[in-house]
Amino acid sequence: MDGEWVSGLLSENGEGGGNSPHTNLTYKEIFDAYFPQYLMMGMTADQYWDGDVYLAKGYREAYRLKRKEENFNAFLHGKYIYAALICASPLMRSSFGKGKVKAHDYLDKPYDLFEDDRQKTEEEKAKKHQQEMKEKMKSWMSKVNQKYKK
Amino acid sequence: MAQINFEYDGFNYTLEYTRRSAQALQEAGFDDSKIDTMSLKMIPMLFRYAFRAHHRNMREEKIDEIYEKLGDKTELIKQLATMYYDAVATLADEPEDSGKVEWTVSG
């Protein structure tokens, strides 16, 4: 639903000309068609009809971010369920085998959502350190070379 | 936010197109595709309806009087037409950068 429906109406009949910038629809038809969609995104009727027309862009972008976050949360939810299933899997197998079976321990803390960012910072630090060492080595080598030239 | 602001006769004026006023303008007979051929009728209409959002009860004669006295009319009309167009254009996304067709002005 994201994106496609928002631009669909204005490009479908796109012959140009007529009364509207892109289509043969009237402004009233276009505004009425989009109205429920913007209400769904949280815009008020006042904002839509009488407010700053550029607000629509902000609401659209906010809606996109919200959908992205919802999608990420659903993914994370699935990941936790999957981890729980893996931990419990020995118990599920126990009905077929013999002896006492114990479930694996579940995660002791939530996933680190910012691990990638932290990893990047560490990499940058390591690169910087490497560069500094290289510079030191260079200056030391040039000093040694000068000493032996004499 | 796109608005045109000016002072006239000791009052501050703000011209803006909302969706309601853009729709009202079109329903009153404004046709942007005929803006070149019917400019004598269309352009004052475009100017008049831009008062609706902030100065709804302005008399037409007063608006026409202001229009006569405003400078740089070419830029004024261009800006008003953009504001009118944006009432619809802001409802949809711009094409992705990779799909955009570049254009230039000549002549």
Side-chain angles (χ1 to χ4, degrees):
Chain A
M1 190 175 170
D2 284 7
E4 284 173 33
W5 59 267
V6 172
S7 54
L9 190 65
L10 288 181
S11 52
E12 266 167 21
N13 301 328
E15 296 289 325
N19 263 354
S20 310
H22 296 298
T23 74
N24 293 320
L25 300 173
T26 63
Y27 269 33
K28 179 178 169 39
E29 286 166 330
I30 296 171
F31 294 156
D32 285 349
Y34 278 105
F35 184 44
Q37 295 167 359
Y38 279 91
L39 285 182
M40 188 200 68
M41 286 189 256
M43 208 171 186
T44 65
D46 267 359
Q47 285 173 327
Y48 185 82
W49 291 107
D50 300 308
D52 180 358
V53 296
Y54 299 91
L55 254 185
K57 284 183 177 180
Y59 271 95
R60 223 162 43 238
E61 188 52 31
Y63 177 72
R64 204 166 281 137
L65 289 173
K66 198 175 137 199
R67 294 282 295 148
K68 201 174 162 187
E69 190 188 284
E70 281 169 355
N71 191 29
F72 177 76
N73 286 340
F75 170 78
L76 201 60
H77 197 68
K79 214 172 159 184
Y80 279 119
I81 290 174
Y82 184 70
L85 285 173
I86 286 177
C87 294
S89 62
L91 298 177
M92 293 173 197
R93 281 200 308 266
S94 70
S95 55
F96 305 111
K98 287 175 186 173
K100 199 178 175 189
V101 180
K102 212 179 148 214
H104 298 305
D105 288 338
Y106 186 64
L107 307 167
D108 55 355
K109 57 181 179 187
Y111 293 124
D112 187 350
L113 298 182
F114 308 102
E115 194 180 2
D116 280 355
D117 294 343
R118 253 192 290 279
Q119 219 168 346
K120 266 185 202 163
T121 317
E122 288 301 319
E123 276 170 23
E124 275 164 16
K125 265 188 199 168
K127 254 188 200 170
K128 201 178 163 192
H129 181 68
Q130 234 173 6
Q131 192 61 35
E132 280 170 4
M133 291 300 284
K134 214 171 156 183
E135 295 297 325
K136 272 185 191 170
M137 187 69 92
K138 257 190 193 170
S139 80
W140 179 75
M141 285 290 281
S142 70
K143 273 181 198 165
V144 171
N145 284 342
Q146 274 172 358
K147 198 176 173 185
Y148 282 103
K149 267 184 193 169
K150 288 171 192 172
Chain B
M1 178 184 286
Q3 293 179 332
I4 293 171
N5 298 295
F6 60 89
E7 196 195 317
Y8 181 78
D9 247 1
F11 289 100
N12 291 316
Y13 291 93
T14 301
L15 306 190
E16 186 179 7
Y17 267 103
T18 64
R19 293 196 177 85
R20 194 183 300 281
S21 53
Q23 182 180 319
L25 173 63
Q26 196 183 53
E27 285 172 350
F30 181 78
D31 186 344
D32 55 355
S33 67
K34 292 177 184 161
I35 202 158
D36 291 334
T37 52
M38 294 179 72
S39 56
L40 282 179
K41 190 182 160 199
M42 294 295 165
I43 290 171
M45 257 179 111
L46 181 67
F47 184 69
R48 235 174 266 152
Y49 274 76
F51 281 81
R52 283 210 165 193
H54 300 278
H55 314 284
R56 191 166 172 78
N57 298 319
M58 285 272 294
R59 281 183 302 114
E60 265 189 30
E61 300 80 51
K62 181 82 178 172
I63 295 176
D64 293 345
E65 179 191 314
I66 295 173
Y67 179 71
E68 290 306 318
K69 292 190 177 168
L70 280 178
D72 198 0
K73 287 207 175 45
T74 309
E75 192 52 40
L76 174 74
I77 302 305
K78 211 164 104 184
Q79 192 56 45
L80 285 170
T82 305
M83 284 155 59
Y84 169 74
Y85 172 86
D86 280 351
V88 157
T90 48
L91 289 174
D93 288 323
E94 280 259 304
E96 295 288 317
D97 279 348
S98 57
K100 263 185 191 169
V101 176
E102 299 294 328
W103 57 275
T104 56
V105 177
S106 62

